[in-house]
DNA sequence: CAACGGTTTGACGTTAACGTAAGCTCGTGG
DNA sequence: CCACGAGCTTACGTTAACGTCAAACCGTTG
C-alpha cells in the first residue's frame, strides 16, 4: 500500500507511521488505547491524519525526555486546549511543566559539564600525586 | 540512631540516606542489588560512606533525567574509571553519552520553547479567524 | 478460487523498578 | 524479661509499556 495514489499526502496507514518513526504497530495501538491518539476508522481500519502524526512526534519526543505516557497525555492536552479550558488554568499547567522541564535542563547541564570534565581528565596526564595503591 | 556521636560525618545508616533523599530503604537496597551501590557491612548492617552518598546523588539525578538503572550503572562507571579502563575507550563512552545528552537537551529546548509559545497564545487574545464551529 | 499480505481484537508474557508483607536477628529501655 | 524499633533476607505483588501469539476479516493477485 503506502499511499499509492500520490494524491493523499494527508492519510496514513498504521504501518506507514510505524515505519516512518521506527516503532511497532502495537505501540501505536497502545497509544490509542491510552487516549494519546484517536485516528479515524474506515470500517475497522485505522486511518491517521496529519494531526495524529504530529501528536505522535510529540509522544516520541516526550519519551526521549523520559516522560511516562501519562505525563505525555497531560502534556498533549496543553497543545490542543483550543480555549476549551479556562485560560488561567491552562497557563498554570504550562508553568508547572515548564518548571519541571527547566529543572531537568539544569540536571542535564550539570551532567554534561561533569562528563566533559571527565573527558578532559581522561585525556590529560594524571596529576601524579599519591597515584599508587588503590 | 542517626549519627549520635557527632564524630562520624562520614558514616550513614540506610535510613539516614533514605530520609535525606526522600526515597525508601527498599529502593536503596535495590540499587545495591543492581550493583549501583556497594556499602560496607558491620555484621549484616549496611554502612554507607561519602562515596556511596555521592553515587546516590548521581543515581537520583539520572532518574530525573529519565534513565534506566542500567543506563545509570554504565554512567557511574564513567565516574569511577580510575584509569582502570583504557583511556580511549573511556573517552569513547563519554562522547557517546554526551551526544545522547545533547540530543536530549535539544528536545528539551524545543519543548520549552513550544510551551512558552503556548503560554503566550493563551494569554494573548485569539486571532479572530474562523474561530467558531467546533 | 485459494493463497497472501495487512489489519483488527483479544489475551497472555515480559522487564523494570520498586512496594509490601512475612519471619528472623539485635540492641536497648522500662 | 520482654516489648520495640531498626535492619536483614526472601518472596510475592504491582504498574507501565509494550512484545508476542492466536484467530478472524478483508482485498487482490496469480
Amino acid at each position: 500500500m503506502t499511499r499509492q495514489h500520490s494524491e493523499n499526502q494527508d492519510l496514513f496507514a498504521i504501518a506507514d507511521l510505524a515505519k516512518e518513526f521506527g516503532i511497532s504497530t502495537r505501540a501505536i495501538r497502545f497509544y490509542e488505547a491510552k487516549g494519546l491518539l484517536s485516528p479515524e476508522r474506515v470500517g475497522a481500519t485505522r486511518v491517521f491524519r496529519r494531526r495524529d502524526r504530529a501528536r505522535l512526534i510529540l509522544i516520541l519526543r516526550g519519551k526521549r525526555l523520559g516522560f511516562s505516557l501519562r505525563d505525555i497525555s497531560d502534556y498533549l492536552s496543553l497543545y490542543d486546549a483550543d480555549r476549551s479550558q479556562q485560560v488561567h488554568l491552562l497557563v498554570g499547567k504550562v508553568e508547572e511543566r515548564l518548571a519541571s522541564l527547566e529543572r531537568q535542563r539544569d540536571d542535564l547541564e550539570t551532567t554534561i559539564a561533569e562528563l566533559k570534565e571527565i573527558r578532559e581528565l581522561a585525556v590529560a596526564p594524571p596529576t601524579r600525586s599519591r597515584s599508587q595503591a588503590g
Side-chain angles (χ1 to χ4, degrees), chain A residues 50-103:
Chain A
R50 290 261 186 74
R51 170 194 161 82
D52 292 298
R53 188 171 165 283
R55 290 175 73 93
L56 190 47
I57 291 177
L58 293 179
I59 292 172
L60 297 179
R61 197 167 71 198
K63 295 207 62 177
R64 287 198 302 274
L65 290 177
F67 293 120
S68 68
L69 293 186
R70 185 79 171 75
D71 284 341
I72 295 174
S73 176
D74 296 351
Y75 178 72
L76 284 175
S77 70
L78 298 182
Y79 275 82
D80 43 47
D82 309 314
R83 86 220 85 222
S84 56
Q85 306 194 22
Q86 257 78 344
V87 171
H88 64 283
L89 201 153
L90 168 62
V91 172
K93 288 199 161 201
V94 172
E95 296 289 4
E96 251 182 57
R97 197 147 285 272
L98 267 176
S100 154
L101 288 176
E102 288 178 341
R103 180 194 179 169

Side-chain angles (χ1 to χ4, degrees), chain A residues 24-40:
Chain A
S24 68
T25 59
R26 176 71 178 91
I28 294 179
R29 292 194 197 95
F30 186 76
Y31 299 153
E32 179 186 0
K34 290 295 175 176
L36 305 193
L37 297 175
S38 38
E40 296 169 35

